[in-house]
Amino acid sequence: MHRKMVILTCLLVMGILAAACGPVTPVAGPAKPVENAVTPLPAETSAPAPAAEQSGGPKIITGQVAYTNSFFTMGVAEPVIILEDQGGFVTRDRKFVIPVESQVIGQITSDFYKSPFTYSLTLPAVPNGSLHDVNHDGKQDTGVMVFAVAYWTNTWGDPYLERRDQGGGGWSSAYASTRVSDSRDSYLEVFGGKYLVYAPDASQQFPSGFGDDKKLFTDDDPITNLPAGWSLIDLDQTPFGMDRSENPVVDLLEPEGSALDDFSSLSYVDAFDKMLDKFKREYAFTDFKKIDWDAKAAEFRPRFESAQKSKDKHAYALALRDFIWSIPDTHVGFDQTAVRGDFTAETAGGLGFAMRETDDGQIVANFILPGGPAEQAGMVWGAEILSLDGKSAAEAVDAAVPWSSPFSNPTNKRYQQLRYALRFKLDKGQVEVTFKNPGASEQIASLPVVAERESFASSSIYAGAADTALPVEFKVLPSGYGYIKISSFSDNDVLSIQVWERAIRYFKENQVPGVILDLRLNGGGSGWLADQMAAYFFGQETVVGNTAFYNKGSGQFYMDPGDETRMLPPQADLQYDGPVVVMVGPGCASACEFFSYNMTINGRATVVGQYPSEGAGGSVEQFLMPESTTVQLTIGRAVDAQGEIHLEGKGVVPTVKVPVNLEILKRQFDGEDVVLTYAEKVVSQPQGAGITPAAAPKLASAGEAEAALTGGEKFLEDKAREKYETADYSKPGTLTFTVPLVKSQNLIWAYAWCAKDVTTLKQNFEHIQLAFQLDGVDVSSQMTNYETESNGQQCRLVYTALSEWLGGEHHLTTTATFDARINDGMADYEPGDYIMEYGVFVKP
């Protein structure tokens, strides 16, 4: 199924709504008044409608697209209007992919980024869509081609829409010439709007109504004849209308599910009641978070009543703020313009230091402002903070209410509370602080509150982030590993994919042994884009989850099996199969978390970080409140492939946690990216390291080994990270090979020796003793010989093929002992042991 507006996510900075997004699914609504005079289609008739005789049919379609949803243009770089083959809806095939040959691309004729925008689309004389016999008379007819005009965004490949551009397949459910339902009882059924229908001859028929079942293209549809060529069918008339004019106007429709609910014209109290009712019905995690909406009504409604009575806009804004902050969900937010002055005033003052909490619960100063109050009082870096303003440090932090509220994840709330516990109004005067410098005794100091923001900025998770960062950037680290920073899934989607694919290609072409993905400062965006970018690390389609939404018809949340989200891998040359590490932190939210979670499926990547991601596991929509205030709530309940809530409230938790202690904090303060250091160490250790396999790989028989060799199977050396020169093999000693395997595959294990002729080769082997050990067992007797001529030399290969590699760390050793000096006809080789050690690491 295609959901036109894919699941998007929000970006919150200091609690101020910067961007937000959500799934937009159209719902049934009243038919739009017909603006063009059309002739109704007569039911059960053998003659074409009168209008059909008056013109040769549509040739150029024009119209406009109006949108109110603020997420409509997010990330869109190549918007397109197409003639969309409706084969998916006609056959109810949720995986139908609109054929490229059927796609007719229109022209956007005004500024796409200003609503409404206009378009023009020229119809082909003979289209190339899918034919469907829709009269249900039991006879095989040629059938007709059914099209909608639809808006899409093109991200991958050429100008035409491929499967990934189409959200996996299906039919348009938003911003098309049709009206499509999201009611559970009629989910994704077309119930109105307009179709463009092409009849290849005058013997074809089409429904003239929906029939008793209120569904189109079913057995009970009344049927009428169609003239040959193009006809515009109006589904909002009864019976359906037909327009055969050359230049009809067809507007694309924003469904009710996409348009913003608007409570802005209501009183404060009435708007609050509407808002509360919306949260009560549509908020995705009421039961999961055990939220009592009636208790919230009793708590907050009096404040809205008081603000209304006194006509106090500021009191209203603060009441709205506190209501929003009371909901423990990062995705819930509002436009804080009306209270921005409060934020500025309440955070204007600082004490010249910032704090972090270590894993063992110590609260320490990890930033001292030079010349600031803390430094003047004798506080040094690493000082333990024992009390603040008459409370223990822990109590003061617990009491702090961050302006970046609310939070889904308590861990990340605590991080922000540490920051805001040190912010004060400038009229605060002084704050008594008890601290203990390393190796010293306790000190008590009254620190003046001064106008400084350096300490506040230093503790931000976005400290040092560049405003000019591209959505995707990559490089090869000095260690030789690949590094990709993904800063957003809401930026230019075409640019993101172009850089992404360039990075993957570069890493593959240059045999980069492992890749580190940095998502620590990625506030989210398109969930579909995130899922499909993760797919570049997988070799097959993978179901990653689904989302439940409130159904107005039933009053319950529903999750349609056809809405399962899948990762759709690109072509093989763009699939990276090496080891991967993903770095996360509190700045990784929503779509970023979906990407990071996807990378943990089947143990594909290791997650490294000091803290989990934000824990925002849903999708959102916005609505309007009085005083031009936009509010956002979570309406989609995201789950994993097993149907379990997997991200909300906890996020993606690092599998390798970077400690938070004084040593690490000091290294970070000194400028080291310690999380990246850990990530490089992890990616250098193949998956499976330290795990003892349940069994050794299977050794091939002589016939199987020869088939593998002549069939071109890879040698162990081909898959190894290390590459040695010829000279490295010409002296006694040990060469080690690291062979990481994402999955089991057939590999050849061999010792090769070449000499100038057959006689020399035979003489050489009189002084070479070979031993082969596989996971501690001598398997020399199971090896096979193969002799051949190569480059004018005679060569012997002592080898086997290995398959059925189980997860873990395998060890293979080839020892060639020369008991005398050997000459192969070209060079001398000293006596001694020539050893090759292979560590084969198979992902469990």
Side-chain angles (χ1 to χ4, degrees), residues 796-831:
R796 178 181 297 176
L797 201 67
V798 183
Y799 75 105
T800 189
L802 300 170
S803 61
E804 298 181 17
W805 297 88
L806 299 183
E809 183 176 341
H810 299 268
H811 290 279
L812 298 82
T813 304
T814 302
T815 303
T817 301
F818 291 16
D819 62 12
R821 177 174 295 189
I822 293 175
N823 187 290
D824 61 1
M826 289 152 288
D828 289 329
Y829 297 87
E830 296 297 322

Side-chain angles (χ1 to χ4, degrees), residues 696-697 699 716 749-751 769-783 798-800 802 805 809-817 834-840:
L699 279 85
L716 286 171
W749 178 22
Y751 177 83
Q769 287 79 44
L770 294 177
F772 297 86
Q773 279 210 335
L774 173 60
D775 286 342
V777 177
D778 189 296
V779 294
S780 304
S781 62
Q782 300 180 57
M783 306 300 281
V798 183
Y799 75 105
T800 189
L802 300 170
W805 297 88
E809 183 176 341
H810 299 268
H811 290 279
L812 298 82
T813 304
T814 302
T815 303
T817 301
Y834 295 73
I835 302 171
M836 290 177 285
E837 292 186 346
Y838 305 87
V840 181

Side-chain angles (χ1 to χ4, degrees), residues 714-721 723 737-739 741 747-750 802 805 812 814 838 840:
K714 298 289 186 182
F715 285 73
L716 286 171
E717 288 82 358
D718 294 329
K719 301 292 291 184
R721 292 179 177 176
K723 305 299 177 187
F737 298 86
T738 305
V739 183
L741 296 182
L747 291 174
I748 294 173
W749 178 22
L802 300 170
W805 297 88
L812 298 82
T814 302
Y838 305 87
V840 181

Side-chain angles (χ1 to χ4, degrees), residues 375-403:
E375 185 183 66
Q376 291 181 12
M379 186 184 296
V380 301
W381 193 96
E384 182 179 4
I385 310 302
L386 301 174
S387 71
L388 278 170
D389 206 18
K391 299 177 182 177
S392 71
E395 290 173 331
V397 171
D398 287 340
V401 180
W403 275 84

Side-chain angles (χ1 to χ4, degrees), residues 263-534:
F263 309 141
S264 62
S265 62
L266 303 178
S267 69
Y268 295 160
V269 174
D270 288 345
F272 172 77
D273 289 342
K274 288 287 188 181
M275 174 178 66
L276 187 72
D277 181 63
K278 185 175 180 67
F279 269 96
K280 185 182 294 187
R281 289 182 292 108
E282 300 179 32
Y283 178 67
F285 296 109
T286 294
D287 295 334
F288 183 69
K289 296 179 182 290
K290 299 180 173 59
I291 297 177
D292 186 338
W293 296 111
D294 291 334
K296 290 194 181 297
E299 179 182 359
F300 290 102
R301 196 174 192 273
R303 292 182 59 181
F304 284 83
E305 291 173 341
S306 176
Q308 179 173 309
K309 184 177 181 179
S310 60
K311 299 181 180 179
D312 190 335
K313 295 181 180 180
H314 187 240
Y316 156 75
L318 292 176
L320 180 61
R321 177 199 68 177
D322 293 345
F323 170 77
I324 294 299
W325 284 3
S326 74
I327 302 167
D329 187 329
T330 298
H331 268 145
V332 175
F334 74 111
D335 177 1
Q336 295 188 9
T337 300
V339 292
R340 190 160 293 162
D342 299 81
F343 163 76
T344 301
E346 292 181 14
T347 61
L351 305 177
F353 73 99
M355 303 185 298
R356 289 280 290 276
E357 189 168 21
T358 63
D359 291 335
D360 61 4
Q362 279 194 333
I363 296 175
V364 298
N366 74 315
F367 172 85
I368 305 292
L369 177 65
E375 185 183 66
Q376 291 181 12
M379 186 184 296
V380 301
W381 193 96
E384 182 179 4
I385 310 302
L386 301 174
S387 71
L388 278 170
D389 206 18
K391 299 177 182 177
S392 71
E395 290 173 331
V397 171
D398 287 340
V401 180
W403 275 84
S404 48
S405 298
F407 300 91
S408 295
N409 192 331
T411 300
N412 298 335
K413 177 181 178 180
R414 182 71 173 182
Y415 184 98
Q416 293 296 337
Q417 285 179 309
L418 287 157
R419 302 181 66 225
Y420 282 88
L422 293 177
R423 306 315 299 174
F424 307 93
K425 291 184 177 181
L426 286 174
D427 61 8
K428 172 69 173 177
Q430 293 185 329
V431 174
E432 186 177 274
V433 179
T434 303
F435 63 92
K436 183 180 179 181
N437 286 330
S441 58
E442 291 184 13
Q443 293 178 247
I444 299 176
S446 291
L447 304 183
V449 176
V450 298
E452 62 88 7
R453 287 193 171 272
E454 291 89 340
S455 62
F456 193 46
S458 75
S459 59
S460 170
I461 57 175
Y462 298 100
D467 294 336
T468 57
L470 296 175
V472 178
E473 298 173 319
F474 75 98
K475 61 183 177 182
V476 175
L477 299 169
S479 60
Y481 294 100
Y483 171 89
I484 309 180
K485 183 178 182 180
I486 312 170
S487 298
S488 177
F489 292 114
S490 62
D491 206 326
N492 185 308
D493 53 7
V494 174
L495 173 63
S496 296
I497 290 299
Q498 288 177 340
V499 179
W500 184 248
E501 292 189 345
R502 182 176 178 181
I504 299 296
R505 282 196 176 95
Y506 184 88
F507 293 156
K508 287 175 66 71
E509 290 171 359
N510 290 276
Q511 299 183 338
V512 172
V515 173
I516 297 168
L517 305 176
D518 189 348
L519 287 97
R520 290 174 290 178
L521 299 179
N522 184 321
S526 166
W528 178 257
L529 182 65
D531 290 335
Q532 302 323 309
M533 287 175 69

Side-chain angles (χ1 to χ4, degrees), residues 186-209:
S186 57
Y187 188 49
L188 297 180
E189 291 292 326
V190 172
F191 67 90
K194 296 178 181 178
Y195 271 140
L196 281 157
V197 181
Y198 179 83
D201 53 55
S203 301
Q204 305 309 313
Q205 295 181 311
F206 192 82
S208 60

